[in-house]
Amino acid sequence: DVQLQASGGGLVQPGGSLRLSCVAPGFTLDDYAIGWFRQAPGKEREGVSRISLVDDSTWYVDSVKGRFTISSDNARRTVYLQMNSLKPEDTAVYYCAGVGPDWKPLGDYVFADFTSWGQGTLVTVSS
């Protein structure tokens, strides 16, 4: 089974930027859909962004549109989440997870479709 690993979290001031990375050591993800999720203290986990590594289509939750960008490297081994203009409400543990193979529109996936959950990485936005 593919095991995904998320990294890149940290402490950043409001308005700052971070780039998260999601890798699957030893695997290429070229037929996967990869999603980024987050869970803030006391809140349910929510989907943040998704990318299809089949056709490079992307999906974003409304609260991050225009601020976050999801992408992958050419080798299809790493998926990035570039987070700009960060807000305190973006504070959460961020996770990546995959669906392989990618088989439906990104917006139609539900949590149960995603497997290969990695450990999370903490993002704290605070002054």
Side-chain angles (χ1 to χ4, degrees), residues 36-47:
W36 282 100
F37 303 81
R38 65 186 179 187
Q39 188 164 20
K43 294 187 177 181
E44 294 185 353
R45 189 172 297 190
E46 68 168 344

Side-chain angles (χ1 to χ4, degrees), residues 35-112:
W36 282 100
F37 303 81
R38 65 186 179 187
Q39 188 164 20
K43 294 187 177 181
E44 294 185 353
R45 189 172 297 190
E46 68 168 344
V48 175
S49 183
R50 301 166 187 168
I51 186 169
S52 166
L53 299 184
V54 175
D55 63 10
D56 289 322
S57 58
T58 59
W59 173 92
Y60 299 92
V61 70
D62 285 347
S63 60
V64 308
K65 285 180 180 177
R67 301 189 297 122
F68 291 10
T69 303
I70 192 169
S71 63
S72 73
D73 65 350
N74 289 335
R76 300 305 207 201
R77 292 185 178 272
T78 305
V79 171
Y80 303 101
L81 186 67
Q82 178 66 43
M83 306 187 296
N84 299 329
S85 302
L86 283 161
K87 304 176 181 180
E89 51 263 44
D90 295 317
T91 295
V93 178
Y94 283 71
Y95 303 86
C96 61
V99 179
D102 175 24
W103 64 282
K104 61 183 178 181
L106 293 175
D108 291 349
Y109 284 117
V110 297
F111 284 158

